[in-house]
Amino acid sequence: ASSLAAGCGARVAAYVRLMPPKQLQVQQQQQNPQVLPAKEANLFKTALKFYNGKKYKKGLRSVDQILVKFPKHAETLGIKALVLNSLDRMEEAHVAAREGIKSDVRSFVCWHALGVLHRTEHNYPEASKCFRTALRFDERNDRILRDLNLLQVMMRDYTGYIDTRRKFLEQRPSLRANWIGLITAYHLAGNNQVALKTILTYEDSIQPVAEPEFEHGELLLYKNLIIEQMGDMSAAIEDLNKCERLVIDKTQHQEIMGRLTHQAGRFEYAEKIWRDLIFKNSEHYAYHQALILTRSRIPYGQGLPDLKLPATPYDRKASLPHLNDDQVATLESVYDDLAGAYPRSNLVKRVPLTFTRGESFKRRLLAYIVPYLRKGIPSLFGDLKALYTDKDKVAAIEEVALACETSLRTNRSLPLKQDKEGEQESPSSMLWALFFLAQHYDRLEQHDKAFKYLEEALNHTPTVIELHMFKARIYKHAGNLALAAEAFDSARKMDFADRYLNTKTTLYLLRADKPTEADRMIGLFTKEGENPVIYLAEMQACRYELEKAESFYRTGQYGLALKMLKAIDKHFVDIRDDETDFHGYCLRRGALRAYYRMVEFEDNLFSQPYYVRMAKGFVRTYLALHTKPAAPKAAEIDEYAGMSEIERKKAISKKKREDARKLVPEPKAKGKGPKGKQVIEAKPDPDPFGEALATIPDTLKEASKYITTLKLSVPKDVEVHILACDLYARRQKYLLVLNSLRKLAKFVSSDPAAYRAQMFSLHTLHKVLEAGGVTHPEVRQVIESEIRDICGGKTLAQMHEAHMAQGPLTPHLRTVGAEVSVLLDPSCAPAQGAGLVDMVATANTYKDCVSAYGLLQHTIANPATTDAFQKACHKKFPQATLFAPPQASSSETR
C-alpha cells in the first residue's frame, strides 16, 4: 500500500511540474476531470504524506476535502480506499475503490487499491485479478509487479511467478536480486534443470569472485542443493569440492559433504568427515548418529528419513536400525577410542548405550550414571528415557539402579570398580538415587513404588524443588489431577521468581479444569496492568490456549472452547500472512537455503502439532454441539420472558456488552501504566462466551472445513480418519465415509480405535441401505461393492469374531470389542458388562479403564455392573478420582 502511495505521488508531482496557466488549467479540468488544480494537487500530496506517516484520520480529512470539489477523481478515491482499509473500514473502502474504477476504468491506481483490499481480506485470487488488470494499463510498474509476484508465490502459482520474475529480469538484467528471484522461482516450481542453467548463466555474466563472500557462497551452496535434488551425487560432490574455497561456513560445507558421500556409498570418506566434525563438536548428536551409520556401512536413508534440508543432515529423533553383533563390536571399539580422545564428553559415553546390549550395556550404564548421582544432576532420567522402548534395557536399568541404592545403604559407596576401597559418597548421592528410582517406577506405571521412593527422598531432603515437581507428576499419572495441581503449586511457592514453575502450575490447573485459577496464576508473570488472557493471545501462546480449550470442552462449555480454538486458528493465519515479509527479505540478504526451508515450512504449516490439535478440537466440539445443540440458559429465558422480539434482542446485546466490559481490565488513570508507560485499552469483546460460534446454523459444515485441511496435511493420522467417518456419516456423505474407511484399513489390525470406527461406520451404512436411504442407483451400487470388498463376504458379526480372535486382548481392545458386540446384538450387554468388570484385573493404568467406564455408564447402563466396575477400579487405582466413590473425602483420596 505504501509503495502504491509513492507511485501516486510521483504521478502527482509530474502534474504539478507541468501545470499550465490558470485559464488553460480550467479548460483542461473541464476536458479531463482526472487532472487536479494546483491547490488540490498539493492537498493530494499532503494526504499521501499523512498516509505514509500512518496518520490515517488526517489523511482521510485531506482526501475528503478534495472529493468535495472533485467527487469523481479516481486517484483520490483510490487513496481514500487505502486509508479506509488502514482504519479497518472495509465496506467503505470497497465502495471508494469501485467508485474510482467507475470514474476511470483505466486507472491503474484504483485497480491496484482494489487488489490491496482483496489481499487484506485474504481473497488472493481476486487480488491477483486486480493486479493483472492494473498491469494492463501500466505494464512496467515495478510496484504492481512486485505486489503481483508476492501474491503469486503466496498462492503457490509458480507458473505466473516465473513469468513475473522474468519480466523483472528483462527490465533490469544487471540487478543481482532479479537473477536470484528467477532462479528460486524455477526451483520452487520443481524445474531444477532450468534453475541450474540460470545459475550457470548468471555466473558467466559476472566477474569471477576472488575472495569468499557470504552471499556468493550461499548461492554456490544453493546450486549444490539443486544438483543434489536432481539425484546426481557424483556431480554434487564434484561441485562442492570446487566451491570449498569460496564458502565461508566451513562446518556447513563439511556436513553437506558428509551427507553427499554417504548417499553416494563412499563410506570411508564419509566416516572421516564425521570424525573431523566430532573433533570440532563432540556433543552434537547428529554427528554421532551419522558416524554410526557410516561405520556400520548402512546405506543412507535405511532406518532414517531421507531429509532434504542441508542444515539438518540427520534426524535427531529417528531410531537407529538393528545392528548385528559384528557391527556392535566394531562400534564399541570406535567409541572406546573416542572416550580416550574426548574424556570430558558426556555424549561419547551416552551414545554407546543406544546400541550395546547385555553385560556391556550394564557396565557402560553404571559408568555413565555414577557421575550424575554424585554431582546431583536431576536430568539423568530424562536423558535415559529414550532407552525405555527396549524391555531388556529397562530391566538392566532397574538392576543397576537398585545396585546403586543397595550399595549406598550398606556402605555409603557406589558400585564402581575404579573407586578407591572404603571411599564414602556424599549423602546427596542417596537422594538422587532415590529420585531416579521413583522416576523409573513411575515410568513403569508402578505408582505405589514410585511414591515410596519419593517420600523417602522428601524425608531425606524436603527442600529440593524437583522432588515436589515430580510428586505432582506421579499424581497426574495416577489420575488425581486436583492433587497434582496442588503439589505443583507447593513447588512453585518454594521459588516465586521461577517462570517455569509458574507456567507448569498453570498447565496443571487447566488439566484439573480450574481455568479461573490458571488465569490468575499465569497473570503473575504477564505484563503488569494487562488482562493475562488478552496478553497471551497477543503473544500467540498456543499451548496455554489449547489446554484451556480442552478444559472447557471437558466441562461442556463449548462456546468458550470454540473461542479459544478460534484464537489459535487466527495465530496460524497470522503466521501464514507473515510469510510475505520474508520473500523479499531472504532474497535481498542472499539466504537462499533458509528461504527454501521457510517455503517448505509454510507448505507444511497445517501439519504442525498445535494446528492439528486445534483442528481436531474444532471437529470434536462441533460434533458434540450437533449431538446436543447449544441452548440459552434458563436464567436468560426467565429474564427475557414477556419481551417482544426486538426488545429481547436489544436486552441480549446490552448484556453481552456488559459481560465483555467485565473481562477487560479498567484502564489506568490518564492512560498511564506502571513507570509512566502508555496503556492501550483493549476493545470490548462482542462475544465473550463464544455463543456466536456455538450457535451457528450448520456445525457439521464448519467442522468439514477443518477435516478437509487435516486430511491433506496429515493423511497418516489415524484419529483424523476416525473423526472423518463420524462427521461424514452424520452429514450423510456416504461415499466420503467409504473413502475414510479405505484410509483406515491399514490401521484396523493394530489400532482398536480404528477398528471401532470401521465397525460403527459399516453398521451405519448397512442400516442406511436397509432403510432405503440411498436412492441413487449408481451410488448405492458403489456403496454395496465397497462394503463387500471391506467385509470380504463376511457379515459384521463374523468380522467381529474373527478380529477379536486375532491379536492379544488388551484392555482397550476388550472395551472396543464389548462396545461393538453390544452394537451388533444389544441382548449381550449384561455379559459384556460382566466381562469388563473382570478386565480390571489385567489393566495396567487407570487410563485402560476410562473408556470402559464410559461404556458402562452410557451404553450398557446397568447400575449394578457399573457400581461393581467402579469399586474394582477404585481398589486397584486408589488415586484415580474418576473412580472414587462420591462420599470419599479428599483426605481419603490423598
Side-chain angles (χ1 to χ4, degrees), residues 498-738:
D498 194 319
R499 186 187 295 267
Y500 172 78
L501 293 176
N502 176 270
T503 304
K504 290 293 288 185
T505 305
T506 302
L507 294 178
Y508 272 68
L509 287 169
L510 288 173
R511 290 167 185 161
D513 298 332
K514 298 178 180 179
T516 306
E517 295 180 30
D519 291 344
R520 179 185 59 80
M521 188 65 62
I522 200 67
L524 298 175
F525 275 86
T526 56
K527 188 179 292 186
E528 186 178 351
E530 290 195 15
N531 188 327
V533 178
I534 297 173
Y535 178 77
L536 290 170
E538 292 174 353
M539 295 294 104
Q540 298 185 344
C542 291
R543 186 178 184 186
Y544 165 80
E545 291 168 328
L546 265 174
E547 293 285 353
K548 195 171 184 181
E550 290 169 357
S551 174
F552 285 137
Y553 174 79
R554 287 191 297 267
T555 55
Q557 302 178 68
Y558 298 133
L560 289 170
L562 290 171
K563 191 172 180 62
M564 288 290 105
L565 294 171
K566 198 68 178 177
I568 302 167
D569 194 12
K570 183 180 181 302
H571 298 336
F572 280 88
V573 172
D574 293 342
I575 292 170
R576 188 62 185 267
D577 290 344
D578 291 342
E579 176 190 335
T580 57
D581 299 332
F582 291 93
H583 288 292
Y585 174 79
C586 291
L587 298 183
R588 287 196 307 272
R589 299 292 297 176
L592 303 182
R593 293 176 303 142
Y595 173 68
Y596 180 65
R597 292 197 297 273
M598 186 273 294
V599 173
E600 283 202 333
F601 168 80
E602 291 287 349
D603 287 342
N604 297 302
L605 181 63
F606 298 137
S607 63
Q608 295 297 313
Y610 281 142
Y611 183 88
V612 173
R613 279 179 65 186
M614 178 273 297
K616 289 178 183 178
F618 259 117
V619 176
R620 280 192 292 266
T621 307
Y622 278 129
L623 288 175
L625 284 170
H626 179 261
T627 304
K628 186 180 179 181
K633 299 176 183 177
E636 292 178 356
I637 296 173
D638 296 335
E639 184 180 349
Y640 306 131
M643 293 184 180
S644 65
E645 185 66 20
I646 296 176
E647 291 173 341
R648 190 178 67 84
K649 287 182 178 179
K650 287 182 178 179
I652 292 175
S653 178
K654 182 180 178 181
K655 187 175 184 304
K656 285 182 178 179
R657 288 196 300 270
E658 291 174 354
D659 291 337
R661 285 193 210 99
K662 292 177 183 177
L663 295 179
V664 179
E666 291 293 328
K668 300 288 181 180
K670 299 182 181 180
K672 297 291 183 179
K675 299 181 182 180
K677 294 182 179 179
Q678 189 73 26
V679 174
I680 300 174
E681 185 178 354
K683 296 180 180 179
D685 189 346
D687 185 26
F689 301 106
E691 294 173 359
L693 294 169
T695 55
I696 59 175
D698 192 348
T699 57
L700 297 182
K701 184 178 179 181
E702 192 69 21
S704 297
K705 298 177 184 178
Y706 292 98
I707 276 291
T708 302
T709 303
L710 288 174
K711 290 175 70 175
L712 293 173
S713 304
V714 282
K716 296 181 181 179
D717 192 317
V718 184
E719 189 178 1
V720 170
H721 300 297
I722 292 172
L723 290 171
C725 286
D726 188 5
L727 174 63
Y728 292 139
R730 297 189 192 207
R731 294 195 69 193
Q732 299 180 4
K733 304 285 186 180
Y734 301 120
L735 293 180
L736 292 176
V737 173
L738 290 171

Side-chain angles (χ1 to χ4, degrees), residues 842-861:
T842 62
N844 294 321
T845 70
Y846 84 97
K847 293 179 182 179
D848 293 337
C849 303
V850 172
S851 56
Y853 190 41
L855 175 63
L856 288 168
Q857 285 180 311
H858 305 297
T859 304
I860 296 178

Side-chain angles (χ1 to χ4, degrees), residues 833 837 840 853 856 862-874:
V837 175
V840 177
Y853 190 41
L856 288 168
N862 187 324
T865 306
T866 305
D867 186 56
F869 182 86
Q870 182 186 18
K871 290 179 179 178
C873 290
H874 181 59

Side-chain angles (χ1 to χ4, degrees), residues 14 181 274 328 353 732 751 838:
W274 294 118
V328 170
L353 299 179
Q732 299 180 4
D751 192 331
D838 297 335

